[in-house]
Amino acid sequence: EIPSDFASSRGKLPMPLQGRILTEEPSSQGGLKGITVEGCPGAEVKAVYAGRIDFSGTLKGYGEIIVINHGSRYFTVSAQLAQRKRHEGDMVKAGEVIGFLGKSSSTKDARLYFEIRKAGKSLDPLTWFGSLSKSER
């Protein structure tokens, strides 16, 4: 059973990764609207909310990617993973590990690309996280 109250968690979601949010630049890949979070190589990437894994695989431009369906047409996208830990059809709870960061090819840092979407439109994830300190904003 997929939860349907994702919208009520706006401003309260945990971060998918312990790390620093990098300032977003307009994307060269044509309108990616998520955020990039810098973490340690091998760091755990977690589900920010309960839901069902709708896609777990590799996509051009995104690398290893997991898409979680949170009900009411809300989805979160975690991309640029080094390793996926969950598979399509799996149910996950908030805080459950879905994958791990790797080293990105362009830098020595590990980075996660994260998006929140509703019905195909990208939403600003920064308005959904609860406990961002000023340094992370």
Side-chain angles (χ1 to χ4, degrees):
E1 184 75 5
I2 297 178
S4 58
D5 50 354
F6 185 84
S8 67
S9 63
R10 188 181 178 110
K12 298 181 213 151
L13 287 182
M15 290 276 291
L17 169 74
Q18 286 302 307
R20 187 169 68 94
I21 296 173
L22 303 176
T23 7
E24 269 310 275
E25 299 140 26
S27 167
S28 57
Q29 291 179 313
L32 293 183
K33 298 203 174 57
I35 56 166
T36 300
V37 186
E38 191 176 62
C40 304
E44 296 179 335
V45 177
K46 297 177 179 171
V48 298
Y49 200 79
R52 183 187 70 215
I53 307 283
D54 270 11
F55 183 81
S56 176
T58 310
L59 276 185
K60 190 174 186 322
Y62 287 91
E64 300 289 329
I65 176 173
I66 288 185
V67 178
I68 304 176
N69 181 345
H70 300 289
S72 305
R73 305 183 77 191
Y74 284 98
F75 298 85
T76 54
V77 177
S78 300
Q80 315 292 1
L81 299 168
Q83 190 187 343
R84 291 174 284 112
K85 206 177 167 211
R86 306 305 304 246
H87 305 287
E88 276 167 46
D90 287 356
M91 299 301 292
V92 292
K93 298 186 181 79
E96 216 167 299
V97 176
I98 57 169
F100 300 95
L101 281 195
K103 283 192 161 70
S104 113
S105 50
S106 56
T107 64
K108 58 183 189 296
D109 303 309
R111 294 178 178 182
L112 170 75
Y113 175 72
F114 182 80
E115 255 183 70
I116 297 177
R117 291 182 185 168
K118 182 178 188 194
K121 290 196 174 72
S122 295
L123 307 175
D124 178 3
L126 297 182
T127 63
W128 287 79
F129 296 133
S131 56
L132 286 187
S133 65
K134 289 286 179 274
S135 67
E136 287 177 304
R137 275 192 193 275

